[in-house]
Amino acid sequence: MTDYKEEQKSELETLRCIYTTEELCELSDNPYCFEVTISSANLNAFLKVQFVLPETYPDAVPQITISSQRGLADEQVEEMEALLNQLAAENVSMVMIFTLISAVQEKLLDYEKIACESLEKEKREMEEQKKKREEAVYHGTIVTMESFLAWRKTFEEEIALLSSVRVLEDQNVIKLTGRQMFEKDASLALSDAGFLNDADDDLDITDENIESEQTAVDIDESLFQDLDDLTIEDD
């Protein structure tokens, strides 16, 4: 006759040697009830699996419950529960707790791998987008036949409009104001300023110049000697 209690006790002692007191939490010994914490540092996730051993374990399936978890999606938790129940059914008549916990740990590693691959894919996509943006800046816009025809049409319209404006200007249809003329040709302002400066240089009016002009005229004083003999008749 199988001594189930002794077999359960022996398995629990083995589990104490494998897991730390933080990982293995014993809740009851009649029936044996304990909780194992399984964590993943890379995922920043953990789950606690509670086992309750029935009286005839291992010939009977233990009661398995995921008591708490963090960092896992609901679908992943459901997948873990299904995996544990399936393995428990497959391992009836054998001590199975270590096997079940190892399966959960392997599943967590699978989740880690999927998460890493997802991050790597996202990183590659971001790098590709950055590379495309840099190439677009370096090479400029790719010219296609459609874009070239659209550009040529716009260019020809602008040239035609510019030509029409020039014709109207030549025909004096468009009259420019003085301000518009100066804005259009800045050399006009420079030429006027130069003209005024030249005029100032030519017109040098000073006292010294006036005196020099006066002294430059020769006066014949003999012309004024007979003025006393002149008789001025009144009308």
Side-chain angles (χ1 to χ4, degrees), residues 23-24 56 83 100 112 123 130 148-149 184 206 217:
E23 295 171 327
L24 177 63
T56 59
L83 175 64
L100 300 181
E112 287 182 11
K123 183 179 178 180
K130 180 180 178 181
F148 171 75
L149 292 176
K184 184 176 181 182
T206 62
V217 178

Side-chain angles (χ1 to χ4, degrees), residues 71-86:
L72 297 175
D74 293 339
E75 295 80 4
Q76 292 174 325
V77 174
E78 292 175 359
E79 188 174 6
M80 287 286 194
E81 290 176 340
L83 175 64
L84 288 169
N85 290 323
Q86 178 185 351

Side-chain angles (χ1 to χ4, degrees), residues 2 4 7 11 53-64 83-97 99-100:
T2 304
Y4 294 110
E7 195 166 354
E11 183 177 11
L53 305 184
E55 185 179 352
T56 59
Y57 172 86
D59 288 339
V61 175
Q63 179 182 340
I64 305 170
L83 175 64
L84 288 169
N85 290 323
Q86 178 185 351
L87 290 175
E90 293 174 355
N91 287 273
V92 172
S93 299
M94 295 184 291
V95 291
M96 64 180 76
I97 303 302
T99 300
L100 300 181

Side-chain angles (χ1 to χ4, degrees), residues 54-178:
E55 185 179 352
T56 59
Y57 172 86
D59 288 339
V61 175
Q63 179 182 340
I64 305 170
T65 306
I66 295 180
S67 56
S68 64
Q69 65 88 20
R70 184 189 68 190
L72 297 175
D74 293 339
E75 295 80 4
Q76 292 174 325
V77 174
E78 292 175 359
E79 188 174 6
M80 287 286 194
E81 290 176 340
L83 175 64
L84 288 169
N85 290 323
Q86 178 185 351
L87 290 175
E90 293 174 355
N91 287 273
V92 172
S93 299
M94 295 184 291
V95 291
M96 64 180 76
I97 303 302
F98 177 75
T99 300
L100 300 181
I101 296 172
S102 298
V104 172
Q105 291 173 330
E106 290 179 3
K107 199 65 178 178
L108 282 178
L109 291 176
D110 291 340
Y111 292 154
E112 287 182 11
K113 184 178 179 181
I114 293 172
C116 290
E117 290 176 351
S118 178
L119 289 175
E120 287 295 329
K121 182 180 178 181
E122 183 178 354
K123 183 179 178 180
R124 286 195 303 269
E125 290 177 351
M126 293 178 63
E127 290 177 351
E128 290 176 359
Q129 292 176 0
K130 180 180 178 181
K131 184 177 179 181
K132 288 179 180 179
R133 289 194 298 268
E134 292 175 349
E135 290 178 350
V137 172
Y138 179 77
H139 295 293
T141 304
I142 299 176
V143 179
T144 63
M145 181 58 69
E146 291 77 7
S147 62
F148 171 75
L149 292 176
W151 170 84
R152 188 175 71 176
K153 180 181 179 182
T154 303
F155 176 75
E156 291 175 348
E157 291 175 352
E158 292 176 353
I159 293 297
L161 179 60
L162 182 60
S163 299
S164 300
V165 172
R166 287 179 177 174
V167 169
L168 293 175
E169 288 178 349
D170 294 338
Q171 296 175 353
N172 293 325
V173 175
I174 298 178
K175 300 294 184 179
L176 298 177
T177 65

Side-chain angles (χ1 to χ4, degrees), residues 27-38:
L27 303 176
S28 171
D29 58 1
N30 189 26
Y32 281 117
C33 176
F34 51 88
E35 192 174 67
V36 180
T37 301
I38 308 164

